[in-house]
Amino acid sequence: MTVPSLLPALPEIFLACSAMALLMVGVFRGEGSTRLVSVLSVVALLVTAALVLGAGSERTVTFNGQFVADRFSAFMKVLVLIGSALSLIVAMDHLEREQIDRFEYPVLILFATLGMLMMVSANDLVAVYVGLETQSLALYVLAAFRRDHARSSEAGLKYFVLGALSSGILLYGMSLVYGFAGTTSFDGLARLFGHGSVPSVGLVVGLVFVAAGIAFKISAVPFHMWTPDVYEGAPTPVTTFFAAAPKIAAVALFIRVLTEPFGGLAHQWQQIVWVTALGSMLLGAFAAIGQTNIKRLMAYSSIGNVGYALVGLAAGNENGVQGVMIYMAVYLFMTVGSFTIVLCMQKDGRSVEDIADLKGLSRTHPLLALAMAVFMFSMAGIPPLAGFFSKLYVFLGAIEAGLYVLAVLGVLSSVVSAFYYLRIVKLMYFDEPVVALDRPIGMGATAVLAGTTLFTLLFIVFQTPIVAGAATAATSLLAR
Amino acid sequence: MEIAAVFLPLAAAFIAGFFGRIIGDRGAHVVTCTAVVVAALISCVLFWQVAFLHQPRTIELFTWIDSGALEVSWALRVDTLTAIMLVVVNGVSAMVHLYSIGYMHHDRHQPRFFAYLSLFTFFMLMLVTSDNLVQMYFGWEGVGVASYLLINFWYEKPSANNAAMKAFLVNRVGDFGFALGIFAVFLIFGSVEFDTIFAAAPAQAQTTISFLWFEGHALTIACLLLFMGAMGKSAQLGLHTWLPDAMEGPTPVSALIHAATMVTAGVFMVARLSPIFEYAPTALMVVTVVGALTAFVAATIGFTQFDIKRVIAYSTMSQLGYMFFALGVSAYSAAIFHLMTHAFFKALLFLGAGSVIHAMSDEQDMRRMGGLADKIKVTYWMMWIGSLALAGIGIPGVIGFAGFYSKDIILEAAYADHTWFGMLAFWLGIVAAFLTAFYSWRLLIMTFNGAPRADAKTVAHVHESPWIMLGPLVVLAVGSVLAGAVFYGSFVGHHSHEFWGKAIFVLPENDTVEAAHHVPFWVPWAPLVVALSGIGTAYWMYQIRPEMPARIQAQFAPLHAFFYNRWYFDQLYDAVFVRPARWLGFELWKKGDGAVIDAFGPDGLAALTREAAARSVRLQTGYVYHYAFAMVLGVVALIAWFWLAN
């Protein structure tokens, strides 16, 4: 038996080894080693990102066709790693304040991230499942991380039960596909569907089940129901992480599964994506209006954002996929930035989560309010902020594919969603402060906030490398 | 140099407007006054070079619009006509700027005021230096905006708001015609450049175009449309109602914009386009009739008014009427001559009136003035000089005030035209000259002579204005005395052909200015005789027999009411245009916008959104089995959708 080439999977192998090593560090140094483990974890994530970027850019397949590394996977992996690292940085202070700073936290994040990298690079349905479960198990634990807290436990349990159901749906779909196609390999499936032959009913049903399973992970309508409860119940640093990294990995997985093995069935799955995209955009826009809790609001906002990303996927062309990638990159920074501000919402040492607590923020924390305003305007899609361009690229792809109805409805729902984004700005700038939030907000949070705000503000200036990178990545995925 | 003359005021307006808070009142004074005074001095040099050394020039700045056949550039065309306007605009503007330092010194928004004044000056310069119709339109609209801003300078006053809106809206009517006129010119000539148009005008003399429902003489239609713009801007009968109301603005504004410069833009425009108007005799006839009627009607209204500024405003309108019928009988040079002399003495009168108002603690009603002659002597004599010039006092062939020369040549030219409308203009002009003299002396006597009619506090406060205000008055007074005598020979005398060069164009058979020198001997004397009798009547009625006006007023009550109420133009327009428009607007607002668009649009959508939000929140029950059920249902629904879609 020959050993497969390990080089393409070097980042994953490095991350797995460092996660286990850091687990050992934590175990042997005991409580109080959290900060050290956290810092080392961030370093490990950044090194992994460097390894991803340092790898060759041409497509390589290894582990008997189970694992693939290409430009697309590199782009999305870097986003995932940045998301994990940023959410870990902003989490540290908060965990200490809330006295849940256990060393398992960073280690769990590393394992979850490892699972996500696997998802992004999966080239076989079995590999998909392995990556997805590696990620999910870590996430279940993270959601219930504050185990002495009823809401956190509830969030963990809900997420676990529903996640298990979705895993079941996914696995059932995979078995259907295998049963009717005779292979689980992406390359094999792609060959099978590449001839334009009419797929059998079982295959199509399998495809729908697979899509539903992944749609759960990106919380697309109608598989979104867990999102608000889990986002609200889980500790805020965990929510930050949930909103950032796993979303990106799952979207990447969704793109790869739909375009590579099932690329030949584009006409079929476009319908599904079309419906889920529209549902997510509308629900994200309307349900968020009725929220009073900022984390729940952000949950609906993320549902809506996924809807917009799916518009690009529904287009199914290179521009659409490029749009999704840009969308996720911008989404990552905006989300981490806004959640950092939510993390900073403290009154007398206690975290608060009501939207009303942001009242008059512009007078007590002018810079914080400014950053939040930038994120809100950006999410609402106001030029020249980053959020405008991400929406623009997605809709361009949709228009090119002739999805006029979807594009128009998407723009309209973004008008509705502008209402709740702008309401936050209004609360911060035009209402009287009730009780001022605590200060200072900590070094890590400040740095992340500054970085994400600048990214959102200056995206218009520095967008060329990101747009170009997304373009080549989309080409590498679709033009094979 | 030409660029400096035009753009210095713009730069000053920019600085005073945007950095007024930083540089303060004093800084705004210094910046704007320096810029405009320098521009005025440069203008004098330009005038010398262009008009007397015969060096007209056009400076292309850059191309503005280049679209298909339409090519429009920014250019400064400086010929004799423009040079005169440069001197008038920059000169009067400089005087008004200086005067305003004194007049406005109580005001809290001085940088804004001076910025507007300078901005107005710039737009006016843009208008007069343009070498195409589009740039002229730009300046035309620009002065409209500046006029709006300045009438509304005291924006807390509702009357100022209304006056500003009225000025803007009435001008829009005229501007609509002007715009259509430009389109017509482009349609006929395929260009908006003056040189191209003028060169092609003779060839197009017989062309016809279809307009609305009829086929008409192309140049006549174009000229009438253009004249409509001139009517609006220059307050000619029909579109004149805004001018008296515009007196709500500060008095220096009235002097600069609503007497000396902007309102003469229409006169300038027709003179500038003389090469086209010459080939549209019907249009010229209309210009003559409208001008003559305006001169007469405005004078009849003027002699019944009591507001000192309104009297002068109607006098301005009347004098503009003179200019227009001069244009109508092809005496373009005479019209421009009167434009220039009028700028001097009318600015003098307005600034003098401002000085009176300043002395009287902002009182404008002449019925509450009187007896001011001794207390504000300089102002009194300045007003005398202005009135003498306005009435056109002088001895034919010997000497006279500025207005004497220009008004006489206009009336002679009208007489020399030997057409029915020329004669109409001549006789209406003679009547108007009588009325002009009458109301001028009525104003002087009511304001300065007799016993004081104001309350004791105001009388005690009466004081002569500071020299920063009187200085400009003196300069303008010198102009009012000398401008006529000095420039008569050049403008309308025997050197006029060299003086004007190609700036204005008159067909040989229409040369009424030349013919004006050969009219019967009584024609030059007639205006003087009626003016003197007007002065005499006023003196008799208001000085010797002060009870007379009331008796005459009672005797001719209906006629007086007709004149006093401004021929009921405002009431007529109110009934015919304003009320229906308001009614329509109100109905559309309440019923169309409120009941239909808002109810189904913003309000309806908002309510719908709220409802949808509440419903979608209720979906989220918190029970895991509901969520799981939703997921399973979702899968089933997707598969079903799939089947239906395929």
Side-chain angles (χ1 to χ4, degrees), chain A residues 462-477:
Chain A
F462 302 113
Q463 60 175 324
T464 321
I466 296 173
V467 173
T472 50
T475 313
S476 83
L477 191 68

Side-chain angles (χ1 to χ4, degrees), chain A residues 158 161-162 165-166 169 201 204-205 208-209 212 216 222-223 225 228-229 268 271-272 275 283 286-287 289-291 296 300 416, chain B residues 608-610 612-614 616-617 619-624 626-635 638-639 641-643 645-646:
Chain A
K158 272 183 182 166
V161 172
L162 296 172
L165 178 62
S166 85
I169 292 174
V201 174
V204 171
V205 173
V208 173
F209 273 74
F216 174 85
F223 310 103
M225 305 282 274
D229 291 10
Q268 274 83 2
Q271 321 259 357
I272 308 174
V275 175
L283 187 95
F286 283 100
I289 290 175
Q291 303 307 322
R296 271 189 104 79
Y300 283 108
V416 175
Chain B
L608 213 63
T609 306
R610 217 173 270 273
S616 46
V617 168
L619 281 178
Q620 205 73 24
T621 53
Y623 295 115
V624 175
H626 282 169
Y627 297 180
F629 183 64
M631 283 170 64
V632 174
L633 211 63
V635 174
L638 281 185
I639 291 176
W641 165 258
F642 206 82
W643 243 270
N646 288 305

Side-chain angles (χ1 to χ4, degrees), chain B residues 306-377:
Chain B
F306 290 109
D307 185 308
I308 186 168
K309 281 178 74 180
R310 277 177 185 258
V311 173
I312 308 179
Y314 280 106
S315 148
T316 304
M317 190 177 141
S318 171
Q319 299 303 311
L320 289 167
Y322 277 98
M323 295 179 213
F324 271 102
F325 74 68
L327 295 171
V329 297
S330 296
Y332 303 102
S333 52
I336 297 296
F337 188 33
H338 195 53
L339 187 161
M340 185 194 71
T341 58
H342 174 257
F344 282 115
F345 61 72
K346 192 50 63 72
L348 173 64
L349 283 171
F350 258 119
L351 294 184
S355 182
V356 171
I357 295 166
H358 196 66
M360 291 294 290
S361 313
D362 295 332
E363 178 59 65
Q364 299 194 9
D365 193 328
M366 295 192 295
R367 282 169 296 191
R368 285 195 285 276
M369 294 184 180
L372 296 175
D374 296 334
K375 296 192 174 108
I376 48 175
K377 265 208 161 61

Side-chain angles (χ1 to χ4, degrees), chain B residues 254-593:
Chain B
S254 310
L256 175 62
I257 299 181
H258 305 120
T261 56
M262 185 186 84
V263 290
T264 61
V267 180
F268 167 79
M269 188 247 273
V270 176
R272 166 61 83 209
L273 297 177
S274 55
I276 316 180
F277 274 84
E278 278 298 288
Y279 292 99
T282 317
L284 284 178
M285 182 189 77
V286 173
V287 173
T288 312
V289 172
V290 170
L293 287 175
T294 306
F296 173 70
V297 171
T300 60
I301 301 173
F303 87 92
T304 58
Q305 300 299 310
F306 290 109
D307 185 308
I308 186 168
K309 281 178 74 180
R310 277 177 185 258
V311 173
I312 308 179
Y314 280 106
S315 148
T316 304
M317 190 177 141
S318 171
Q319 299 303 311
L320 289 167
Y322 277 98
M323 295 179 213
F324 271 102
F325 74 68
L327 295 171
V329 297
S330 296
Y332 303 102
S333 52
I336 297 296
F337 188 33
H338 195 53
L339 187 161
M340 185 194 71
T341 58
H342 174 257
F344 282 115
F345 61 72
K346 192 50 63 72
L348 173 64
L349 283 171
F350 258 119
L351 294 184
S355 182
V356 171
I357 295 166
H358 196 66
M360 291 294 290
S361 313
D362 295 332
E363 178 59 65
Q364 299 194 9
D365 193 328
M366 295 192 295
R367 282 169 296 191
R368 285 195 285 276
M369 294 184 180
L372 296 175
D374 296 334
K375 296 192 174 108
I376 48 175
K377 265 208 161 61
V378 181
T379 306
Y380 179 53
W381 286 113
M382 292 300 134
M383 290 293 275
W384 256 90
I385 294 173
S387 299
L388 285 168
L390 171 61
I393 302 302
I395 304 163
V398 186
I399 193 89
F401 287 91
F404 160 74
Y405 288 98
S406 52
K407 193 184 283 185
D408 266 22
I409 190 73
I410 285 177
L411 288 169
E412 287 158 19
Y415 184 85
D417 194 43
H418 294 302
T419 52
W420 68 266
F421 50 88
M423 274 305 155
L424 174 81
F426 174 75
W427 287 112
L428 285 177
I430 291 289
V431 177
F434 171 80
L435 293 170
T436 304
F438 177 80
Y439 64 64
S440 297
W441 262 262
R442 174 174 172 269
L443 183 149
L444 280 177
I445 294 165
M446 283 185 82
T447 307
F448 293 103
N449 298 2
R453 293 182 294 274
D455 56 68
K457 189 164 160 245
T458 312
V459 172
H461 187 68
V462 171
H463 60 281
E464 184 59 284
S465 300
W467 275 104
I468 191 76
M469 287 167 70
L470 296 178
L473 288 184
V474 174
V475 174
L476 291 169
V478 171
S480 305
V481 176
L482 298 180
V486 171
F487 292 112
Y488 181 80
S490 312
F491 273 71
V492 292
H494 298 296
H495 309 294
S496 58
H497 285 295
E498 305 92 84
F499 176 78
W500 289 101
K502 291 194 173 116
I504 57 178
F505 171 79
V506 184
L507 287 176
E509 63 269 29
N510 285 358
D511 197 350
T512 47
V513 175
E514 179 56 33
H517 296 299
H518 312 290
V519 289
F521 81 98
W522 61 270
V523 174
W525 285 92
L528 178 67
V529 171
V530 295
L532 288 175
S533 48
I535 294 172
T537 315
Y539 192 74
W540 185 64
M541 275 175 65
Y542 288 90
Q543 186 78 19
I544 300 173
R545 306 278 299 276
E547 78 284 357
M548 277 291 286
R551 269 175 48 199
I552 296 173
Q553 192 177 325
Q555 195 81 36
F556 299 100
L559 196 62
H560 177 267
F562 187 62
F563 290 158
Y564 183 71
N565 288 310
R566 309 180 291 272
W567 292 45
Y568 296 105
F569 266 106
D570 281 314
Q571 285 83 344
L572 181 72
Y573 285 179
D574 193 54
V576 177
F577 299 115
V578 181
R579 275 169 203 280
R582 282 180 70 102
W583 176 83
L584 188 67
F586 189 82
E587 290 293 305
L588 284 178
W589 166 44
K590 279 291 179 198
K591 299 206 173 126
D593 198 40

Side-chain angles (χ1 to χ4, degrees), chain B residues 199-224:
Chain B
Q204 301 289 349
Q206 305 305 327
T207 317
T208 59
I209 53 171
S210 58
F211 178 73
L212 296 179
W213 60 91
F214 62 90
E215 183 90 7
H217 183 229
L219 291 181
T220 303
I221 290 169
C223 287
L224 284 176

